[in-house]
């Protein structure tokens, strides 16, 4: 795809300074700019790069006035960073604007779908599946029986959505995601063996949920595992059966949440956090990376450590922990002095 400077300026409502017909076909950092690439300058620390960049077009603030000769064509906008972000979003929409049904793929006769859908090659659509409008399902994806997928949802290559699950509108499910696999349910028998407990619930993703690559969300034993509206999940997260995550909560990579735990709204959970099952975490909670949560958590708490402490208590304790060898030496010296007195 190629765009001229004037076309880009029209999208961004900016002004061209230079060759309005020059074309670009890729994006670049300003310090790594090459011909036919587009870049931007927002941080003053990078200003010196604009005089040497080989990028064909550079987006700059309207206040920018070059002090030396430049070869790049400028597009002047009110806010270069926001304008470049807008352009990235537009570029992504164009790049993902696929439609039609590729072959080979399998779509069950009982499945229904809306307008302007895309189903990539080697995908499987099961019985009684309902797919909304403008949905894009990329190659090698599996959609199980009785699944419902809302409008404008993206399902990237290699994702698996098991039977009975419900996916909302404007969701993004990245490659390798597994939604609706059996929860980790086993009961010990008298002979020491573990017996499988059937997992007959489902998973519900509400609208505007993003799920990162290789994340797994297990189906409920009974009822539903629920990911509420606006939740953002990073890559490689494990969410167990019957978990519920509240609206607009964000969770970083490699976090594991055990079964039947309820997490509130607007929480921020760092990477590699471990959360035990059957607890409740309140709203607006912040949990630092690599913390271990083994108790109920009230609204607005900020936690760190394993087992987690209040963030300020953890920092105070950590100061003493770093000084532990000195403290032990001081105690030993005191004991020696008392013994000699």
């Amino acid at each position: 795809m190629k765009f001229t400077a004037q076309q880009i300026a029209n999208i961004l409502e900016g002004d061209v300074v230079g060759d309005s017909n020059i074309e670009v076909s890729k994006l670049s950092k300003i310090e790594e700019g090459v011909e036919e690439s587009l870049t931007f300058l927002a941080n003053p620390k990078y200003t010196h790069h604009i005089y040497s960049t080989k990028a064909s077009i550079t987006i700059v603030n309207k206040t920018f006035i070059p002090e030396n000769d430049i070869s790049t064509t400028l597009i002047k906008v009110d806010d270069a960073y926001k304008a470049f972000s807008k352009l990235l979003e537009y570029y992504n929409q164009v790049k993902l604007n696929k439609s039609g049904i590729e072959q080979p793929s399998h779509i069950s006769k009982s499945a229904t779908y809306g307008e302007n859908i895309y189903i990539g090659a080697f995908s499987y659509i099961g019985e009684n599946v309902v797919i909304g409008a403008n949905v894009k399902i990329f190659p090698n994806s599996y959609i199980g029986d009785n699944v419902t997928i809302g409008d404008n949802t993206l399902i990237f290559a290699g994702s698996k959505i098991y039977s009975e699950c419900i996916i909302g509108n404007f969701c993004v499910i990245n490659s390798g995601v597994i939604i609706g696999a059996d929860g980790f349910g086993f009961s010990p028998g008298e002979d020491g063996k573990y017996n499988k407990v059937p997992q007959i619930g489902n998973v519900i993703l509400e609208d505007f949920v993003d799920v990162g690559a290789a994340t797994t969300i297990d189906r409920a034993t009974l009822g539903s595992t629920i990911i509420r509206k606006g939740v953002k999940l990073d890559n490689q997260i494990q969410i167990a059966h019957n978990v519920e995550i509240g609206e607009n909560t964000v969770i970083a990579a490699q976090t594991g949440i055990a079964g039947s735990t309820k997490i509130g709204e607007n929480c921020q959970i760092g990477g590699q956090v471990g959360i035990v099952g059957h607890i409740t975490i309140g709203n607006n909670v912040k949990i630092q990376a690599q913390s271990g949560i083994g108790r109920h958590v009230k609204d607005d708490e900020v936690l760190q450590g394993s087992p987690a402490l209040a963030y300020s208590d953890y920092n105070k304790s950590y100061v003493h922990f770093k000084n532990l060898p000195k403290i032990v030496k001081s105690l030993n010296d005191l004991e020696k002095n008392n013994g000699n007195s």
Side-chain angles (χ1 to χ4, degrees), residues 71-92:
S71 60
T72 183
T73 290
L74 303 180
I75 297 178
K76 290 195 167 187
V77 295
D78 291 329
D79 187 317
Y81 185 80
K82 288 182 179 179
F84 192 73
S85 298
K86 180 180 178 181
L87 195 62
L88 287 176
E89 184 178 348
Y90 179 84
Y91 176 80
N92 210 34

Side-chain angles (χ1 to χ4, degrees), residues 10-181:
N10 291 341
I11 294 169
L12 301 179
E13 298 179 354
D15 300 317
V16 178
V17 179
D19 184 358
S20 61
N21 294 316
I22 195 167
E23 294 183 328
V24 292
S25 58
K26 51 184 172 286
L27 307 174
S28 67
K29 297 179 181 179
I30 191 167
E31 66 272 26
E32 300 173 358
V34 295
E35 291 184 4
E36 294 192 2
S37 72
L38 178 143
T39 188
F40 76 107
L41 173 63
N43 189 331
K45 292 181 180 179
Y46 290 83
T47 299
H48 63 283
H49 288 298
I50 201 168
Y51 302 109
S52 59
T53 187
K54 292 181 172 56
S56 297
I57 301 174
T58 304
I59 299 170
V60 297
N61 293 328
K62 287 183 175 178
T63 55
F64 173 73
I65 299 174
E67 297 177 352
N68 299 304
D69 292 338
I70 57 173
S71 60
T72 183
T73 290
L74 303 180
I75 297 178
K76 290 195 167 187
V77 295
D78 291 329
D79 187 317
Y81 185 80
K82 288 182 179 179
F84 192 73
S85 298
K86 180 180 178 181
L87 195 62
L88 287 176
E89 184 178 348
Y90 179 84
Y91 176 80
N92 210 34
Q93 288 175 354
V94 172
K95 185 175 67 172
L96 297 176
N97 190 26
K98 293 178 175 286
S99 62
I101 299 172
E102 296 178 351
Q103 296 300 330
S105 59
H106 173 81
I107 302 175
S108 299
K109 292 181 180 179
S110 57
T112 60
Y113 46 84
E115 296 180 350
N116 193 36
I117 70 156
Y118 167 69
I119 298 176
F122 301 101
S123 293
Y124 177 93
I125 311 296
E127 299 288 345
N128 303 310
V129 170
V130 178
I131 302 172
N134 306 307
V135 170
K136 303 191 189 307
I137 300 173
F138 285 80
N140 294 301
S141 296
Y142 170 83
I143 312 297
D145 296 345
N146 305 308
V147 167
T148 299
I149 300 172
D151 297 341
N152 301 293
T153 284
L154 293 174
I155 300 172
F156 284 97
S159 296
K160 309 291 187 286
I161 302 175
Y162 285 33
S163 64
E164 322 297 335
C165 294
I166 300 172
I167 311 298
N169 303 308
F170 293 98
C171 291
V172 177
I173 298 171
N174 281 286
S175 292
V177 166
I178 299 177
I179 295 174

Side-chain angles (χ1 to χ4, degrees), residues 314-329:
Y314 176 87
N315 286 334
K316 292 174 185 176
S317 299
Y318 190 70
V319 170
H320 296 306
F321 174 74
K322 287 194 299 184
N323 293 323
L324 190 58
K326 294 179 182 178
I327 294 171
V328 171
K329 184 178 183 303

Side-chain angles (χ1 to χ4, degrees), residues 187-195:
S187 62
E190 294 180 358
D191 58 358
K193 296 179 180 179
Y194 285 85
N195 302 308

